[in-house]
């Protein structure tokens, strides 16, 4: 029996999203189904570059239509918590690329908020980790181990 592909959405179209997309596109168990960003132009450019079928600026709209299994959050640190507030309403695994704040105090305050939201919404799974020093195969293995 053929195994179902893991549907992935990338949130954020900055430089780090390129690294995730390069890795994900090499894996035949994964299908990147969409990319969301603050501007249409940035996510359109990324969608063209990586042959991603769907792109847009509405996180809620994309999540409702695409129903991904995994959301990779790689937005600016200042936007991470706002994106998580929206994202945790949906049933998917969430991998958060950035820290939750610009200082230790802010990170701890936001961690309590994110932890509370995450626990209130049992639809989501949370993976918060830094893969900055990980190899491509290590990142792929870590993500795929969730499924």
């Amino acid at each position: 029996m053929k195994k179902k592909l893991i549907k992935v959405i990338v949130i954020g179209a900055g430089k780090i999203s390129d690294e995730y997309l390069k890795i994900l596109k090499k894996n035949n168990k994964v299908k990147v189904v969409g990319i969301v960003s603050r501007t249409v132009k940035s996510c359109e450019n990324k969608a063209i570059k990586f042959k991603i079928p769907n792109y847009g600026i509405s996180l809620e709209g994309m999540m409702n239509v695409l129903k991904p299994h995994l959301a990779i959050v790689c937005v600016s640190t200042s936007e991470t918590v706002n994106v998580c507030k929206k994202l945790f309403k949906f049933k998917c695994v969430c991998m958060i690329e950035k820290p939750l704040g610009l200082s230790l105090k802010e990170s701890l305050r936001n961690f309590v908020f994110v932890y509370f939201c995450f626990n209130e919404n049992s639809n989501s799974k949370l993976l918060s980790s830094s893969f900055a020093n990980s190899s491509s195969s290590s990142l792929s293995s870590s993500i795929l181990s969730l499924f």
Side-chain angles (χ1 to χ4, degrees), residues 25-60:
K25 288 301 223 173
K26 290 178 183 177
N27 192 311
N28 62 1
K29 296 177 184 174
V30 172
K31 171 137 178 83
V32 180
V33 294
I35 185 163
V36 179
S37 183
R38 289 183 288 195
T39 66
V40 173
K41 189 67 177 165
S42 63
C43 57
E44 178 182 34
N45 289 341
K46 206 68 69 147
I48 292 167
K49 180 178 179 179
F50 289 98
K51 297 180 174 93
I52 301 169
N54 303 286
Y55 63 90
I57 58 173
S58 171
L59 176 58
E60 291 91 345

Side-chain angles (χ1 to χ4, degrees), residues 10-101:
V10 175
I11 304 163
K15 292 177 186 175
I16 194 69
S17 67
D18 280 4
E19 301 308 313
Y20 284 103
L21 290 166
K22 287 175 193 174
I23 294 164
L24 293 167
K25 288 301 223 173
K26 290 178 183 177
N27 192 311
N28 62 1
K29 296 177 184 174
V30 172
K31 171 137 178 83
V32 180
V33 294
I35 185 163
V36 179
S37 183
R38 289 183 288 195
T39 66
V40 173
K41 189 67 177 165
S42 63
C43 57
E44 178 182 34
N45 289 341
K46 206 68 69 147
I48 292 167
K49 180 178 179 179
F50 289 98
K51 297 180 174 93
I52 301 169
N54 303 286
Y55 63 90
I57 58 173
S58 171
L59 176 58
E60 291 91 345
M62 296 282 275
M63 294 297 292
N64 280 321
V65 171
L66 302 175
K67 300 190 183 337
H69 304 111
L70 171 67
I72 298 178
V73 180
C74 46
V75 299
S76 64
T77 303
S78 61
E79 288 300 311
T80 300
V81 172
N82 292 329
V83 168
C84 289
K85 285 179 187 179
K86 295 175 185 175
L87 188 58
F88 289 170
K89 296 174 187 172
F90 299 94
K91 184 178 181 178
C92 70
V93 174
C94 306
M95 200 210 76
I96 303 170
E97 212 296 305
K98 298 279 194 287
L100 295 173

